[in-house]
Amino acid sequence: WHLAAVNAQSAWSHLESIGLPAGGASDIVVAVIDTGVDYNHPDLAANMWVNTQEIVGNGIDDDGNGLVDDIHGATFISNTHYHNGDPIDDHSHGTHVAGVIAAANNNGVGGTGVAYNARIMALKALQYSGAGAATDIAEAIYYAVEHGADIINMSFGSYSESGIIKDALEVAFGQCVLIAAAGNDGHHNEEP
């Protein structure tokens, strides 16, 4: 139902009519800052971003960014052993969000994402409970920018402003399209 609600089929038809792939370009990278992503999920595995500067499974920080084996993204949860290169989802929200964005098309599994050719960069900055710290979110934003994300999706919210996140978003704004949750709990989206 979500594809019909956003007129995805019409958008896909339009893209094809102008000679572009219906599901978007496969070189578009969408960073999903959330609870992680199940990068082994059959609807997502083929559409995961790959950090070509890392060698899979060698246990070495090949690209020198302080994260070992950050192949599909990274985890930025401070003060835990989870600050590493494995952004596996332990909540399911981030996997759901990634699926809405880029679940594979016509693979006989699950659904189809709106931009089913896009690549997902998994950035885990929210804990298993769904809560997150501003510093962790800001680190994930900087990682997305430094690793060439075209779009940063942030499906989370807060009732207060964070200067740390605002600074990171100002850096990202010049290089990425920023997508954020809005309207949750019936609150207005205005500056205080």
Side-chain angles (χ1 to χ4, degrees):
W1 66 267
H2 70 286
L3 296 174
V6 298
N7 295 314
Q9 292 92 340
S10 298
W12 295 337
S13 295
H14 172 71
L15 288 171
E16 285 182 324
S17 75
I18 59 173
L20 297 173
S26 61
D27 62 345
I28 298 297
V29 177
V30 181
V32 174
I33 300 176
D34 212 292
T35 59
V37 173
D38 180 358
Y39 45 80
N40 296 312
H41 190 286
D43 247 357
L44 295 172
N47 287 346
M48 293 304 300
W49 167 79
V50 175
N51 180 357
T52 59
Q53 302 303 307
E54 282 288 339
I55 298 170
V56 179
N58 70 355
I60 298 171
D61 176 16
D62 299 295
D63 61 4
N65 67 0
L67 298 163
V68 173
D69 292 338
D70 52 322
I71 304 301
H72 298 301
T75 293
F76 301 96
I77 298 178
S78 299
N79 302 319
T80 70
H81 67 281
Y82 293 111
H83 200 198
N84 60 47
D86 186 6
I88 195 71
D89 194 352
D90 56 5
H91 180 280
S92 77
H93 188 268
T95 300
H96 170 78
V97 169
V100 169
I101 297 166
N105 187 36
N106 290 327
N107 67 346
V109 178
T112 296
V114 174
Y116 56 80
N117 291 329
R119 298 290 175 248
I120 297 293
M121 178 189 292
L123 300 177
K124 181 181 177 75
L126 305 182
Q127 301 169 19
Y128 65 90
S129 64
T135 53
D136 299 341
I137 293 166
E139 269 192 273
I141 293 168
Y142 288 126
Y143 181 98
V145 170
E146 291 165 7
H147 288 80
D150 300 291
I151 300 167
I152 299 175
N153 185 86
M154 301 162 283
S155 294
F156 51 83
S158 175
Y159 297 110
S160 60
E161 183 176 320
S162 164
I164 293 169
I165 293 175
K166 187 175 180 180
D167 289 347
L169 290 172
E170 286 176 357
V171 169
F173 182 71
Q175 299 178 47
C176 306
V177 174
L178 304 174
I179 309 292
N184 293 335
D185 300 327
H187 290 273
H188 293 285
N189 296 312
E190 337 178 319
E191 287 287 324

